[in-house]
Amino acid sequence: MGIIISRFRRKKTTIEVLDRLETEIKSIERDGEYKQQTQKRIMGYMMAYSIGFCVLFGVLYYFMYVGKSQHWLHSLLNASPLLVLPILVVFLRSAISWYYDWLLNKNRAKLTKMRAEKKKLLEDVMNTETYKVAKEILDKYGSPEEQSKSLKPFTPTIAVAGSAPNTPVPGTVQNFLVKLFKFY
């Protein structure tokens, strides 16, 4: 039954596939930026709250327990929040950092896979489609480097006998320097 239904399903065009890839790539990029901002915000809040709690526990310890205990072990037990909190903050910070790095690396892997798929599709377009269709697709979905290298019409340069070999070509650095030194 599935074979019969699949015969009537039309194949997606290259433009539809590229459009889907483009939206997914942008979605993944936005998601990655949001996760980076969230990581920075969480780390900032965690550090601010942990410093606040350390100061609060330090003040409470000073007013409640300093000088009131005769034994050093009781003083150490009363100061335990001041000793444990920094260690807890370091472990919590590393766990949060590891989690967000894992998420961002997973996003980067997806993104590189999709960009490679998009690049492959664009190369197939350059090889299989007509010039006009391929130019439209590359203008819409291709990167500037792909647009510049792929569909420039071939213009051969022929050295004509009798022409000066070192004449400056318009728009080159050499031509710019010649004009600059003529100005001075």
Side-chain angles (χ1 to χ4, degrees):
M1 185 70 184
I3 295 173
I4 297 171
I5 293 173
S6 67
R7 298 255 184 210
F8 295 111
R9 189 179 313 155
R10 78 175 171 92
K11 187 179 176 185
K12 291 185 178 182
T13 63
T14 308
I15 294 174
E16 290 172 345
V17 173
L18 283 170
D19 194 34
R20 179 188 56 85
L21 277 173
E22 189 72 26
T23 56
E24 287 178 4
I25 286 172
K26 287 183 181 181
S27 170
I28 289 174
E29 287 173 346
R30 276 184 302 216
D31 188 44
E33 290 172 5
Y34 176 75
K35 286 178 182 173
Q36 283 179 340
Q37 291 172 354
T38 304
Q39 178 186 12
K40 288 178 183 177
R41 187 172 46 246
I42 287 175
M43 290 296 203
Y45 287 151
M46 187 186 69
M47 293 307 291
Y49 284 127
S50 65
I51 290 171
F53 282 135
C54 279
V55 169
L56 179 69
F57 285 143
V59 168
L60 288 175
Y61 175 76
Y62 180 76
F63 285 116
M64 293 177 74
Y65 299 111
V66 171
K68 296 188 179 175
S69 177
Q70 277 80 22
H71 199 267
W72 67 272
L73 187 60
H74 291 128
S75 296
L76 185 65
L77 287 174
N78 291 335
S80 63
L82 287 173
L83 302 174
V84 173
L85 190 62
I87 295 169
L88 182 68
V89 168
V90 167
F91 283 125
L92 189 62
R93 181 182 167 124
S94 64
I96 290 171
S97 179
W98 174 83
Y99 174 72
Y100 276 102
D101 287 341
W102 176 73
L103 283 177
L104 291 171
N105 285 335
K106 197 166 88 171
N107 262 3
R108 284 186 200 112
K110 256 193 237 179
L111 196 58
T112 55
K113 180 182 168 187
M114 289 187 159
R115 284 185 177 157
E117 185 179 343
K118 180 182 170 186
K119 185 176 181 181
K120 182 181 166 229
L121 276 172
L122 289 174
E123 287 175 4
D124 288 344
V125 163
M126 288 188 285
N127 294 332
T128 59
E129 297 290 333
T130 62
Y131 177 79
K132 184 178 179 182
V133 173
K135 179 133 177 74
E136 288 175 4
I137 290 174
L138 286 175
D139 285 343
K140 187 172 182 183
Y141 298 106
S143 65
E145 64 157 17
E146 290 170 346
Q147 292 171 4
S148 66
K149 76 173 183 179
S150 64
L151 295 174
K152 282 188 179 176
F154 179 67
T155 56
T157 56
I158 300 174
V160 179
S163 67
N166 289 333
T167 56
V169 179
T172 61
V173 175
Q174 183 182 10
N175 191 20
F176 173 75
L177 291 175
V178 168
K179 286 182 180 178
L180 182 69
F181 286 118
K182 283 183 181 178
F183 179 76
Y184 288 111

